[in-house]
Amino acid sequence: MAARAGLGYITPPKPSDNNTTCILNKGDTGALESQRYYLARKTVLEMLRDRGCVVDDSEVDRTLSEFRSVFGEKPDVDQLRICVPFLSRPSKKILVIFCGPLEINKAKATGIILNILNKESLHRIILVLENKINHFARTVFEECQVKMEMFPITELFANITKHVAAPKIEILSTMEKEQLLKKYELADKQLPYMLESDAIARYYGLEKKQVVKVTYNSKNTGLLVTYRCVI
Protein backbone atom coordinates (compact mmCIF):
# COMPACT_ATOMS: atom_id res chain seq x y z
CA MET A 1 0.00 0.00 0.00
CA ALA A 2 1.35 3.42 -0.91
CA ALA A 3 2.32 5.72 1.93
CA ARG A 4 -0.01 8.63 2.48
CA ALA A 5 0.47 11.95 4.19
CA GLY A 6 -1.67 13.09 7.07
CA LEU A 7 -3.73 10.89 9.35
CA GLY A 8 -6.61 10.04 7.07
CA TYR A 9 -9.28 11.98 8.95
CA ILE A 10 -10.79 15.39 8.45
CA THR A 11 -8.81 18.07 10.24
CA PRO A 12 -11.02 20.97 11.37
CA PRO A 13 -10.70 23.89 8.95
CA LYS A 14 -8.61 26.86 9.94
CA PRO A 15 -10.92 29.50 11.40
CA SER A 16 -11.98 32.15 8.91
CA ASP A 17 -13.18 35.57 10.01
CA ASN A 18 -16.76 34.30 10.05
CA ASN A 19 -16.39 31.02 11.94
CA THR A 20 -13.84 32.57 14.31
CA THR A 21 -16.53 35.03 15.34
CA CYS A 22 -18.94 32.13 15.91
CA ILE A 23 -16.39 30.33 18.10
CA LEU A 24 -15.75 33.45 20.14
CA ASN A 25 -19.20 34.93 20.66
CA LYS A 26 -21.51 32.21 22.02
CA GLY A 27 -23.58 34.79 23.88
CA ASP A 28 -20.66 36.17 25.87
CA THR A 29 -21.00 39.84 26.81
CA GLY A 30 -17.42 40.43 27.98
CA ALA A 31 -14.47 41.75 26.02
CA LEU A 32 -13.70 39.77 22.87
CA GLU A 33 -9.98 40.24 23.52
CA SER A 34 -10.06 38.30 26.78
CA GLN A 35 -12.10 35.51 25.20
CA ARG A 36 -9.54 35.11 22.40
CA TYR A 37 -6.69 34.82 24.89
CA TYR A 38 -8.68 32.50 27.13
CA LEU A 39 -9.38 30.00 24.35
CA ALA A 40 -5.83 30.12 22.96
CA ARG A 41 -4.18 29.77 26.37
CA LYS A 42 -6.45 26.85 27.31
CA THR A 43 -5.51 24.99 24.11
CA VAL A 44 -1.82 25.70 24.70
CA LEU A 45 -2.06 24.29 28.23
CA GLU A 46 -3.75 21.15 26.89
CA MET A 47 -1.05 20.86 24.22
CA LEU A 48 1.72 21.16 26.81
CA ARG A 49 0.10 18.48 28.96
CA ASP A 50 -0.21 16.19 25.93
CA ARG A 51 3.50 16.71 25.25
CA GLY A 52 4.33 15.40 28.71
CA CYS A 53 4.74 18.68 30.58
CA VAL A 54 3.65 19.32 34.15
CA VAL A 55 0.44 21.34 33.90
CA ASP A 56 -1.85 22.03 36.84
CA ASP A 57 -5.44 20.86 36.25
CA SER A 58 -6.73 24.07 37.81
CA GLU A 59 -5.06 26.03 34.99
CA VAL A 60 -6.62 23.89 32.26
CA ASP A 61 -10.06 23.79 33.89
CA ARG A 62 -10.20 27.54 34.58
CA THR A 63 -13.44 29.09 33.31
CA LEU A 64 -13.64 32.26 31.24
CA SER A 65 -14.94 34.26 34.21
CA GLU A 66 -12.08 32.95 36.37
CA PHE A 67 -9.61 33.82 33.60
CA ARG A 68 -10.96 37.38 33.51
CA SER A 69 -10.75 37.71 37.28
CA VAL A 70 -7.03 36.84 37.07
CA PHE A 71 -5.97 38.53 33.82
CA GLY A 72 -8.70 41.13 33.26
CA GLU A 73 -10.83 42.00 30.23
CA LYS A 74 -7.76 43.20 28.31
CA PRO A 75 -4.93 40.90 29.42
CA ASP A 76 -1.29 41.96 29.47
CA VAL A 77 0.34 39.44 27.13
CA ASP A 78 3.45 39.27 29.33
CA GLN A 79 1.25 37.92 32.14
CA LEU A 80 -0.03 35.15 29.86
CA ARG A 81 3.40 33.53 29.51
CA ILE A 82 3.70 29.89 30.45
CA CYS A 83 6.87 28.03 31.42
CA VAL A 84 6.51 24.40 32.46
CA PRO A 85 8.94 21.47 32.88
CA PHE A 86 8.65 17.99 31.42
CA LEU A 87 7.43 15.36 33.85
CA SER A 88 10.20 12.98 32.76
CA ARG A 89 12.90 15.68 32.55
CA PRO A 90 12.22 18.41 35.13
CA SER A 91 15.39 20.28 34.15
CA LYS A 92 14.01 20.91 30.64
CA LYS A 93 11.11 23.28 30.03
CA ILE A 94 8.87 24.72 27.33
CA LEU A 95 8.29 28.47 27.32
CA VAL A 96 5.17 29.93 25.68
CA ILE A 97 5.15 33.60 24.69
CA PHE A 98 2.07 35.51 23.54
CA CYS A 99 3.46 38.09 21.13
CA GLY A 100 0.63 40.63 21.16
CA PRO A 101 -1.21 42.40 18.33
CA LEU A 102 1.69 44.32 16.74
CA GLU A 103 3.56 43.06 13.69
CA ILE A 104 6.80 41.34 14.61
CA ASN A 105 9.84 42.96 13.00
CA LYS A 106 13.54 42.38 13.61
CA ALA A 107 13.69 44.76 16.58
CA LYS A 108 10.71 43.17 18.32
CA ALA A 109 12.04 39.66 17.66
CA THR A 110 15.44 40.63 19.06
CA GLY A 111 13.74 42.08 22.14
CA ILE A 112 11.79 38.86 22.70
CA ILE A 113 14.98 36.78 22.56
CA LEU A 114 16.97 39.13 24.82
CA ASN A 115 14.24 39.06 27.47
CA ILE A 116 14.25 35.26 27.74
CA LEU A 117 16.16 34.18 30.84
CA ASN A 118 17.83 30.81 31.47
CA LYS A 119 17.75 29.72 27.83
CA GLU A 120 19.92 26.73 28.69
CA SER A 121 17.00 25.14 30.57
CA LEU A 122 14.60 25.49 27.63
CA HIS A 123 13.75 22.62 25.28
CA ARG A 124 11.38 24.64 23.09
CA ILE A 125 9.91 28.11 22.80
CA ILE A 126 6.37 28.46 21.44
CA LEU A 127 5.30 31.81 20.02
CA VAL A 128 1.59 32.63 19.78
CA LEU A 129 1.22 35.12 16.93
CA GLU A 130 -1.55 37.66 16.40
CA ASN A 131 -0.03 39.53 13.49
CA LYS A 132 2.44 39.13 10.64
CA ILE A 133 6.08 38.28 11.19
CA ASN A 134 8.55 39.56 8.61
CA HIS A 135 11.53 37.79 7.08
CA PHE A 136 14.11 39.53 9.26
CA ALA A 137 12.26 38.56 12.44
CA ARG A 138 12.08 34.94 11.28
CA THR A 139 15.83 34.98 10.74
CA VAL A 140 16.36 36.18 14.32
CA PHE A 141 14.22 33.35 15.67
CA GLU A 142 15.90 30.75 13.45
CA GLU A 143 19.29 31.78 14.86
CA CYS A 144 18.12 31.31 18.45
CA GLN A 145 19.88 28.48 20.28
CA VAL A 146 16.49 27.08 21.32
CA LYS A 147 14.07 25.62 18.76
CA MET A 148 11.15 27.98 18.12
CA GLU A 149 7.62 26.99 17.14
CA MET A 150 5.02 29.46 15.87
CA PHE A 151 1.24 29.18 16.10
CA PRO A 152 -1.20 31.81 14.81
CA ILE A 153 -3.60 32.52 17.67
CA THR A 154 -6.61 31.64 15.48
CA GLU A 155 -5.33 28.05 15.19
CA LEU A 156 -5.57 27.74 18.96
CA PHE A 157 -9.19 28.72 19.48
CA ALA A 158 -10.09 25.01 19.36
CA ASN A 159 -8.09 21.89 20.21
CA ILE A 160 -7.86 19.82 17.00
CA THR A 161 -7.21 16.60 18.93
CA LYS A 162 -10.73 16.89 20.35
CA HIS A 163 -12.28 16.88 16.89
CA VAL A 164 -15.03 14.26 16.58
CA ALA A 165 -13.05 12.29 13.97
CA ALA A 166 -9.64 12.56 15.63
CA PRO A 167 -7.98 9.20 16.39
CA LYS A 168 -5.92 8.44 19.48
CA ILE A 169 -2.25 9.38 19.04
CA GLU A 170 0.60 7.71 20.93
CA ILE A 171 4.22 8.76 20.40
CA LEU A 172 6.61 5.82 20.30
CA SER A 173 9.89 5.97 22.19
CA THR A 174 13.12 5.20 20.33
CA MET A 175 13.08 1.67 21.73
CA GLU A 176 9.43 1.12 20.81
CA LYS A 177 10.14 2.33 17.28
CA GLU A 178 13.07 -0.08 16.92
CA GLN A 179 10.94 -2.97 18.19
CA LEU A 180 8.17 -2.12 15.72
CA LEU A 181 10.53 -1.97 12.74
CA LYS A 182 12.22 -5.21 13.79
CA LYS A 183 8.90 -7.00 14.26
CA TYR A 184 7.68 -6.18 10.75
CA GLU A 185 11.15 -6.14 9.14
CA LEU A 186 10.73 -2.59 7.88
CA ALA A 187 12.79 0.56 7.53
CA ASP A 188 11.16 3.71 8.87
CA LYS A 189 10.86 5.07 5.31
CA GLN A 190 8.57 2.13 4.49
CA LEU A 191 5.98 3.20 7.04
CA PRO A 192 3.05 5.41 6.03
CA TYR A 193 4.15 8.95 6.68
CA MET A 194 3.01 12.17 8.30
CA LEU A 195 4.46 15.53 7.31
CA GLU A 196 6.25 17.50 10.01
CA SER A 197 3.98 20.39 9.01
CA ASP A 198 0.82 18.32 9.64
CA ALA A 199 -1.42 19.97 12.24
CA ILE A 200 -1.22 16.93 14.52
CA ALA A 201 2.57 16.75 14.22
CA ARG A 202 2.81 20.43 15.13
CA TYR A 203 0.44 20.01 18.07
CA TYR A 204 2.66 17.32 19.60
CA GLY A 205 5.91 19.01 18.55
CA LEU A 206 7.01 15.96 16.56
CA GLU A 207 10.31 15.85 14.70
CA LYS A 208 11.46 13.99 11.61
CA LYS A 209 11.80 10.19 11.97
CA GLN A 210 9.59 10.03 15.05
CA VAL A 211 6.87 7.38 14.81
CA VAL A 212 3.34 7.58 16.18
CA LYS A 213 0.74 4.90 16.78
CA VAL A 214 -2.65 5.96 15.44
CA THR A 215 -5.76 4.21 16.75
CA TYR A 216 -9.14 4.70 15.09
CA ASN A 217 -12.29 3.47 16.80
CA SER A 218 -15.56 4.41 15.15
CA LYS A 219 -18.66 2.84 13.69
CA ASN A 220 -17.23 3.26 10.20
CA THR A 221 -13.72 1.88 10.80
CA GLY A 222 -14.16 -0.29 13.87
CA LEU A 223 -10.91 -0.67 15.80
CA LEU A 224 -8.01 0.09 13.47
CA VAL A 225 -4.35 0.62 14.41
CA THR A 226 -1.73 2.05 12.09
CA TYR A 227 1.65 3.77 12.40
CA ARG A 228 3.04 6.94 10.84
CA CYS A 229 6.61 8.15 10.50
CA VAL A 230 7.21 11.91 10.51
CA ILE A 231 9.08 13.25 7.48
Side-chain angles (χ1 to χ4, degrees):
M1 181 181 293
R4 294 176 298 169
L7 288 175
Y9 68 93
I10 300 172
T11 301
K14 292 182 179 180
S16 64
D17 290 340
N18 290 335
N19 60 29
T20 294
T21 301
C22 291
I23 291 172
L24 293 174
N25 283 343
K26 292 188 176 180
D28 181 70
T29 57
L32 189 62
E33 187 175 356
S34 60
Q35 194 175 7
R36 285 165 53 89
Y37 286 130
Y38 165 73
L39 292 172
R41 196 171 190 270
K42 180 179 177 66
T43 298
V44 168
L45 288 166
E46 292 170 341
M47 180 169 68
L48 292 172
R49 184 168 60 184
D50 288 341
R51 291 189 184 193
C53 292
V54 179
V55 177
D56 196 309
D57 287 343
S58 63
E59 283 267 22
V60 178
D61 298 335
R62 179 179 280 156
T63 64
L64 176 57
S65 61
E66 290 170 341
F67 176 87
R68 284 172 172 158
S69 69
V70 174
F71 299 105
E73 291 282 356
K74 295 186 176 181
D76 178 349
V77 291
D78 289 336
Q79 298 299 316
L80 298 176
R81 285 193 179 198
I82 304 167
C83 189
V84 289
F86 284 92
L87 184 62
S88 61
R89 292 178 295 163
S91 62
K92 288 296 180 181
K93 301 177 181 179
I94 294 182
L95 172 66
V96 181
I97 299 173
F98 286 76
C99 295
L102 300 179
E103 181 175 348
I104 301 178
N105 54 26
K106 183 177 180 180
K108 184 173 177 62
T110 301
I112 289 173
I113 297 297
L114 291 177
N115 286 324
I116 297 173
L117 303 177
N118 302 318
K119 292 185 183 69
E120 65 279 358
S121 69
L122 296 178
H123 172 69
R124 296 276 179 94
I125 298 172
I126 295 174
L127 303 178
V128 179
L129 308 176
E130 293 186 62
N131 207 326
K132 296 177 181 178
I133 173 171
N134 67 30
H135 167 74
F136 302 104
R138 286 186 183 276
T139 300
V140 171
F141 290 139
E142 288 170 1
E143 293 175 351
C144 180
Q145 66 191 63
V146 183
K147 182 171 181 178
M148 314 279 285
E149 300 177 42
M150 302 179 197
F151 287 85
I153 192 170
T154 52
E155 290 185 9
L156 299 170
F157 289 158
N159 186 333
I160 60 170
T161 66
K162 294 184 177 181
H163 187 257
V164 64
K168 179 181 178 182
I169 304 294
E170 298 172 79
I171 303 168
L172 271 59
S173 66
T174 301
M175 182 178 295
E176 289 171 331
K177 173 186 171 181
E178 291 174 354
Q179 291 173 344
L180 174 73
L181 297 177
K182 183 177 180 180
K183 178 179 179 180
Y184 294 104
E185 299 181 344
L186 295 171
D188 51 12
K189 65 182 180 181
Q190 293 176 292
L191 289 171
Y193 65 84
M194 177 197 300
L195 298 177
E196 191 177 18
S197 59
D198 185 283
I200 289 292
R202 293 180 66 239
Y203 179 89
Y204 287 102
L206 300 177
E207 297 181 335
K208 287 181 173 63
K209 294 192 175 182
Q210 280 191 279
V211 173
V212 295
K213 178 181 179 181
V214 186
T215 304
Y216 300 87
N217 192 1
S218 69
K219 292 181 179 179
N220 293 331
T221 64
L223 183 62
L224 174 65
V225 177
T226 184
Y227 295 87
R228 301 287 170 123
C229 183
V230 180
I231 63 170

Coordinates of all heavy atoms in Angstrom, one line a residue, residues 147-207:
K147 N 15.0 25.8 19.9 CA 14.1 25.6 18.8 C 12.8 26.4 19.0 O 12.2 26.3 20.1 CB 13.7 24.1 18.5 CG 12.8 23.9 17.4 CD 12.6 22.5 17.0 CE 11.7 22.3 15.8 NZ 11.6 20.9 15.4
M148 N 12.4 27.1 18.0 CA 11.2 28.0 18.1 C 10.0 27.4 17.3 O 10.2 26.9 16.2 CB 11.4 29.4 17.6 CG 12.7 30.0 18.1 SD 12.6 30.7 19.7 CE 11.7 32.2 19.4
E149 N 8.8 27.4 17.9 CA 7.6 27.0 17.1 C 6.7 28.2 17.1 O 6.6 29.0 18.1 CB 6.9 25.8 17.8 CG 7.8 24.6 17.9 CD 7.0 23.5 18.7 OE1 5.8 23.3 18.5 OE2 7.7 22.8 19.5
M150 N 5.9 28.3 16.0 CA 5.0 29.5 15.9 C 3.6 29.0 15.6 O 3.4 28.2 14.7 CB 5.5 30.4 14.8 CG 6.9 30.9 15.0 SD 7.5 32.0 13.7 CE 9.2 32.0 14.0
F151 N 2.6 29.5 16.3 CA 1.2 29.2 16.1 C 0.4 30.5 16.0 O 0.4 31.3 16.9 CB 0.7 28.4 17.3 CG 1.2 26.9 17.3 CD1 2.4 26.6 18.0 CD2 0.4 25.9 16.8 CE1 2.8 25.3 18.0 CE2 0.8 24.6 16.9 CZ 2.0 24.3 17.5
P152 N -0.3 30.7 14.9 CA -1.2 31.8 14.8 C -2.3 31.6 15.9 O -2.7 30.5 16.1 CB -1.8 31.7 13.4 CG -0.8 31.0 12.6 CD -0.2 30.0 13.6
I153 N -2.7 32.7 16.6 CA -3.6 32.5 17.7 C -4.9 31.9 17.2 O -5.6 31.2 18.0 CB -3.8 33.9 18.4 CG1 -4.6 33.7 19.7 CG2 -4.6 34.9 17.5 CD1 -4.6 34.9 20.6
T154 N -5.3 32.2 16.0 CA -6.6 31.6 15.5 C -6.6 30.1 15.4 O -7.7 29.5 15.4 CB -7.0 32.2 14.1 OG1 -5.8 32.1 13.2 CG2 -7.3 33.7 14.2
E155 N -5.4 29.5 15.2 CA -5.3 28.0 15.2 C -5.5 27.4 16.6 O -5.6 26.2 16.7 CB -4.0 27.6 14.6 CG -3.8 27.9 13.1 CD -2.5 27.4 12.5 OE1 -1.8 26.6 13.3 OE2 -2.2 27.7 11.4
L156 N -5.5 28.3 17.6 CA -5.6 27.7 19.0 C -6.9 28.0 19.6 O -7.1 27.7 20.8 CB -4.4 28.4 19.8 CG -3.0 28.1 19.3 CD1 -2.0 29.0 20.1 CD2 -2.7 26.6 19.5
F157 N -7.9 28.5 18.9 CA -9.2 28.7 19.5 C -9.9 27.4 19.8 O -10.8 27.4 20.6 CB -10.1 29.6 18.6 CG -9.6 31.0 18.5 CD1 -10.0 31.8 17.4 CD2 -8.8 31.6 19.5 CE1 -9.5 33.1 17.3 CE2 -8.4 32.9 19.4 CZ -8.8 33.7 18.3
A158 N -9.5 26.3 19.1 CA -10.1 25.0 19.4 C -9.0 24.0 19.3 O -8.0 24.1 18.6 CB -11.1 24.7 18.3
N159 N -9.1 23.0 20.1 CA -8.1 21.9 20.2 C -8.4 20.8 19.1 O -9.4 20.1 19.2 CB -8.1 21.3 21.6 CG -7.0 20.2 21.8 OD1 -6.5 19.6 20.8 ND2 -6.6 20.1 23.0
I160 N -7.6 20.7 18.1 CA -7.9 19.8 17.0 C -7.9 18.4 17.4 O -8.5 17.5 16.8 CB -6.9 20.0 15.8 CG1 -5.4 19.7 16.3 CG2 -7.0 21.4 15.2 CD1 -4.4 19.7 15.2
T161 N -7.2 18.0 18.5 CA -7.2 16.6 18.9 C -8.5 16.2 19.5 O -8.8 15.0 19.8 CB -6.1 16.3 20.0 OG1 -6.3 17.0 21.2 CG2 -4.7 16.7 19.4
K162 N -9.4 17.2 19.8 CA -10.7 16.9 20.4 C -11.8 16.9 19.3 O -13.0 16.8 19.6 CB -11.1 17.9 21.4 CG -10.2 17.8 22.7 CD -10.6 18.8 23.8 CE -9.8 18.6 25.0 NZ -10.2 19.5 26.1
H163 N -11.4 17.0 18.0 CA -12.3 16.9 16.9 C -13.0 15.5 16.9 O -12.4 14.5 17.3 CB -11.5 17.1 15.6 CG -12.4 17.2 14.4 ND1 -12.5 16.1 13.5 CD2 -13.1 18.2 13.9 CE1 -13.4 16.5 12.5 NE2 -13.7 17.7 12.7
V164 N -14.2 15.5 16.5 CA -15.0 14.3 16.6 C -14.4 13.1 15.8 O -14.6 11.9 16.2 CB -16.5 14.5 16.1 CG1 -16.4 14.9 14.6 CG2 -17.4 13.3 16.3
A165 N -13.6 13.4 14.8 CA -13.1 12.3 14.0 C -11.6 12.0 14.3 O -11.0 11.2 13.7 CB -13.2 12.6 12.5
A166 N -11.1 12.7 15.3 CA -9.6 12.6 15.6 C -9.4 11.2 16.3 O -10.0 10.8 17.2 CB -9.2 13.7 16.6
P167 N -8.4 10.5 15.8 CA -8.0 9.2 16.4 C -7.1 9.4 17.6 O -6.7 10.6 17.9 CB -7.2 8.5 15.3 CG -6.5 9.7 14.6 CD -7.5 10.8 14.6
K168 N -6.8 8.4 18.3 CA -5.9 8.4 19.5 C -4.5 8.4 19.0 O -4.1 7.6 18.1 CB -6.2 7.3 20.4 CG -5.3 7.2 21.6 CD -5.5 6.0 22.5 CE -4.6 5.9 23.7 NZ -4.9 4.7 24.5
I169 N -3.6 9.3 19.5 CA -2.3 9.4 19.0 C -1.3 9.0 20.2 O -1.5 9.5 21.3 CB -1.9 10.8 18.6 CG1 -2.8 11.3 17.5 CG2 -0.4 10.9 18.1 CD1 -2.7 10.5 16.2
E170 N -0.4 8.1 19.9 CA 0.6 7.7 20.9 C 2.0 7.8 20.3 O 2.2 7.3 19.2 CB 0.4 6.3 21.4 CG -1.0 6.1 22.1 CD -1.2 4.6 22.4 OE1 -0.7 4.1 23.4 OE2 -2.0 4.0 21.7
I171 N 2.9 8.6 20.9 CA 4.2 8.8 20.4 C 5.1 7.6 20.9 O 5.2 7.4 22.1 CB 4.8 10.1 20.9 CG1 3.8 11.2 20.4 CG2 6.2 10.3 20.3 CD1 4.1 12.6 21.1
L172 N 5.7 6.9 19.9 CA 6.6 5.8 20.3 C 8.0 6.3 20.8 O 8.5 7.3 20.2 CB 6.8 4.9 19.1 CG 5.8 3.7 18.9 CD1 4.4 4.3 18.8 CD2 6.1 2.8 17.8
S173 N 8.5 5.7 21.8 CA 9.9 6.0 22.2 C 10.9 5.4 21.2 O 10.4 4.6 20.3 CB 10.2 5.3 23.6 OG 10.1 3.9 23.5
T174 N 12.1 5.7 21.3 CA 13.1 5.2 20.3 C 13.2 3.7 20.4 O 13.2 3.0 19.3 CB 14.5 5.8 20.7 OG1 14.5 7.2 20.6 CG2 15.6 5.2 19.7
M175 N 13.1 3.1 21.6 CA 13.1 1.7 21.7 C 11.8 1.0 21.1 O 11.9 0.0 20.4 CB 13.2 1.3 23.2 CG 13.3 -0.2 23.5 SD 13.5 -0.6 25.2 CE 15.1 0.1 25.5
E176 N 10.7 1.6 21.4 CA 9.4 1.1 20.8 C 9.4 1.2 19.3 O 8.9 0.3 18.6 CB 8.2 1.9 21.4 CG 8.0 1.7 22.8 CD 6.9 2.6 23.4 OE1 6.9 3.8 22.9 OE2 6.2 2.2 24.4
K177 N 10.0 2.2 18.7 CA 10.1 2.3 17.3 C 11.0 1.2 16.7 O 10.7 0.5 15.7 CB 10.7 3.7 16.9 CG 11.0 3.8 15.4 CD 11.7 5.1 15.1 CE 12.2 5.2 13.7 NZ 13.0 6.5 13.4
E178 N 12.2 1.0 17.4 CA 13.1 -0.1 16.9 C 12.4 -1.5 17.0 O 12.6 -2.3 16.1 CB 14.3 -0.1 17.8 CG 15.2 1.2 17.5 CD 16.4 1.2 18.5 OE1 16.5 0.4 19.4 OE2 17.2 2.1 18.3
Q179 N 11.6 -1.7 18.0 CA 10.9 -3.0 18.2 C 9.9 -3.1 17.1 O 9.7 -4.2 16.6 CB 10.3 -3.1 19.6 CG 11.3 -3.2 20.7 CD 10.7 -3.1 22.1 OE1 9.5 -2.6 22.2 NE2 11.4 -3.5 23.1
L180 N 9.2 -2.1 16.8 CA 8.2 -2.1 15.7 C 8.8 -2.4 14.4 O 8.3 -3.3 13.6 CB 7.4 -0.8 15.6 CG 6.4 -0.6 14.5 CD1 5.2 -1.4 14.8 CD2 6.1 0.9 14.3
L181 N 9.9 -1.8 14.0 CA 10.5 -2.0 12.7 C 11.1 -3.4 12.6 O 11.1 -4.0 11.6 CB 11.6 -0.9 12.5 CG 11.1 0.5 12.4 CD1 12.3 1.5 12.3 CD2 10.2 0.7 11.3
K182 N 11.7 -3.9 13.8 CA 12.2 -5.2 13.8 C 11.1 -6.3 13.6 O 11.3 -7.2 12.9 CB 13.0 -5.4 15.1 CG 13.7 -6.8 15.2 CD 14.5 -6.9 16.5 CE 15.2 -8.3 16.6 NZ 15.9 -8.4 17.9
K183 N 10.0 -6.0 14.3 CA 8.9 -7.0 14.3 C 8.4 -7.2 12.8 O 8.1 -8.3 12.4 CB 7.8 -6.5 15.2 CG 6.5 -7.4 15.2 CD 5.5 -6.9 16.1 CE 4.2 -7.8 16.1 NZ 3.2 -7.3 17.0
Y184 N 8.2 -6.1 12.1 CA 7.7 -6.2 10.8 C 8.7 -6.1 9.7 O 8.4 -6.1 8.5 CB 6.7 -5.0 10.5 CG 5.5 -5.2 11.4 CD1 5.3 -4.4 12.6 CD2 4.5 -6.1 11.1 CE1 4.2 -4.5 13.4 CE2 3.4 -6.3 12.0 CZ 3.2 -5.5 13.1 OH 2.1 -5.6 13.9
E185 N 10.0 -6.1 10.1 CA 11.1 -6.1 9.1 C 11.0 -5.0 8.1 O 11.0 -5.2 6.9 CB 11.2 -7.5 8.4 CG 11.5 -8.7 9.4 CD 11.6 -10.0 8.6 OE1 11.2 -10.1 7.4 OE2 12.1 -11.0 9.2
L186 N 10.9 -3.8 8.7 CA 10.7 -2.6 7.9 C 11.8 -1.6 8.2 O 12.4 -1.6 9.3 CB 9.4 -2.0 8.2 CG 8.1 -2.7 7.8 CD1 6.9 -2.0 8.3 CD2 8.0 -2.9 6.2
A187 N 12.0 -0.7 7.3 CA 12.8 0.6 7.5 C 11.8 1.7 7.8 O 10.6 1.6 7.3 CB 13.7 0.9 6.3
D188 N 12.2 2.7 8.5 CA 11.2 3.7 8.9 C 10.6 4.4 7.6 O 9.4 4.8 7.6 CB 11.7 4.8 9.8 CG 13.0 5.3 9.4 OD1 13.4 5.1 8.2 OD2 13.7 6.0 10.2
K189 N 11.4 4.4 6.5 CA 10.9 5.1 5.3 C 9.8 4.2 4.6 O 9.1 4.7 3.7 CB 12.0 5.3 4.3 CG 12.7 4.1 3.8 CD 13.8 4.5 2.9 CE 14.5 3.2 2.3 NZ 15.7 3.6 1.5
Q190 N 9.6 3.0 5.1 CA 8.6 2.1 4.5 C 7.2 2.3 5.2 O 6.2 1.7 4.7 CB 9.0 0.7 4.5 CG 10.2 0.4 3.6 CD 10.7 -1.1 3.7 OE1 11.2 -1.5 4.8 NE2 10.5 -1.9 2.7
L191 N 7.2 3.0 6.3 CA 6.0 3.2 7.0 C 5.2 4.3 6.3 O 5.7 5.2 5.7 CB 6.3 3.6 8.5 CG 6.8 2.6 9.4 CD1 7.3 3.3 10.7 CD2 5.8 1.5 9.7
P192 N 3.8 4.3 6.5 CA 3.1 5.4 6.0 C 3.6 6.6 6.7 O 4.1 6.6 7.9 CB 1.6 5.1 6.5 CG 1.6 3.6 6.6 CD 3.0 3.2 7.1
Y193 N 3.5 7.8 6.1 CA 4.2 9.0 6.7 C 3.2 10.1 7.1 O 2.0 10.1 6.6 CB 5.2 9.5 5.7 CG 4.7 10.0 4.4 CD1 4.2 11.3 4.3 CD2 4.7 9.2 3.3 CE1 3.8 11.8 3.1 CE2 4.3 9.7 2.0 CZ 3.8 11.0 2.0 OH 3.3 11.5 0.8
M194 N 3.7 11.0 7.9 CA 3.0 12.2 8.3 C 4.0 13.3 8.1 O 5.1 13.2 8.6 CB 2.6 12.1 9.8 CG 1.9 13.3 10.3 SD 1.9 13.4 12.1 CE 1.0 11.9 12.5
L195 N 3.6 14.4 7.5 CA 4.5 15.5 7.3 C 4.7 16.2 8.6 O 3.8 16.3 9.5 CB 3.8 16.5 6.3 CG 3.6 16.0 4.9 CD1 3.0 17.1 4.0 CD2 4.9 15.6 4.3
E196 N 5.9 16.8 8.8 CA 6.3 17.5 10.0 C 5.4 18.7 10.1 O 5.1 19.2 11.2 CB 7.7 17.9 10.0 CG 8.3 18.4 11.3 CD 9.7 18.8 11.2 OE1 10.3 18.9 10.1 OE2 10.4 18.9 12.3
S197 N 4.8 19.2 9.0 CA 4.0 20.4 9.0 C 2.5 20.0 9.3 O 1.7 20.9 9.4 CB 4.1 21.1 7.7 OG 3.7 20.3 6.6
D198 N 2.2 18.8 9.4 CA 0.8 18.3 9.6 C 0.4 18.9 11.0 O 1.1 19.1 11.9 CB 0.8 16.8 9.7 CG -0.6 16.2 9.9 OD1 -1.1 16.3 11.0 OD2 -1.2 15.7 8.9
A199 N -0.9 19.3 11.0 CA -1.4 20.0 12.2 C -1.2 19.1 13.5 O -0.9 19.7 14.6 CB -2.9 20.3 12.0
I200 N -1.4 17.8 13.4 CA -1.2 16.9 14.5 C 0.2 16.9 14.9 O 0.6 16.9 16.1 CB -1.8 15.5 14.2 CG1 -3.3 15.5 14.2 CG2 -1.3 14.5 15.3 CD1 -4.0 15.8 15.5
A201 N 1.1 16.8 13.9 CA 2.6 16.7 14.2 C 3.0 18.0 14.9 O 3.8 18.0 15.9 CB 3.4 16.6 12.9
R202 N 2.5 19.2 14.5 CA 2.8 20.4 15.1 C 2.3 20.5 16.5 O 2.9 21.0 17.5 CB 2.3 21.6 14.3 CG 3.0 21.7 12.9 CD 2.4 22.9 12.1 NE 2.7 24.1 12.7 CZ 1.8 25.0 13.1 NH1 0.5 24.8 12.9 NH2 2.1 26.2 13.7
Y203 N 1.1 20.0 16.7 CA 0.4 20.0 18.1 C 1.3 19.3 19.1 O 1.5 19.7 20.2 CB -0.9 19.4 18.0 CG -1.7 19.3 19.3 CD1 -2.5 20.3 19.8 CD2 -1.5 18.2 20.2 CE1 -3.1 20.3 21.0 CE2 -2.2 18.1 21.4 CZ -3.0 19.1 21.8 OH -3.6 19.1 23.0
Y204 N 1.8 18.1 18.7 CA 2.7 17.3 19.6 C 4.1 17.7 19.5 O 4.9 17.1 20.3 CB 2.5 15.8 19.3 CG 1.2 15.3 19.7 CD1 0.1 15.1 18.8 CD2 0.9 15.0 21.1 CE1 -1.1 14.6 19.2 CE2 -0.3 14.5 21.5 CZ -1.3 14.3 20.6 OH -2.5 13.8 21.0
G205 N 4.5 18.6 18.7 CA 5.9 19.0 18.5 C 6.8 17.9 18.0 O 8.0 17.8 18.4
L206 N 6.3 17.1 17.1 CA 7.0 16.0 16.6 C 8.1 16.4 15.6 O 8.0 17.4 14.9 CB 6.1 15.0 15.8 CG 4.9 14.4 16.7 CD1 4.0 13.6 15.8 CD2 5.5 13.6 17.8
E207 N 9.2 15.6 15.6 CA 10.3 15.9 14.7 C 10.5 14.7 13.7 O 9.9 13.6 13.9 CB 11.6 16.0 15.5 CG 11.5 17.2 16.5 CD 12.8 17.3 17.3 OE1 13.5 16.3 17.5 OE2 13.1 18.5 17.7

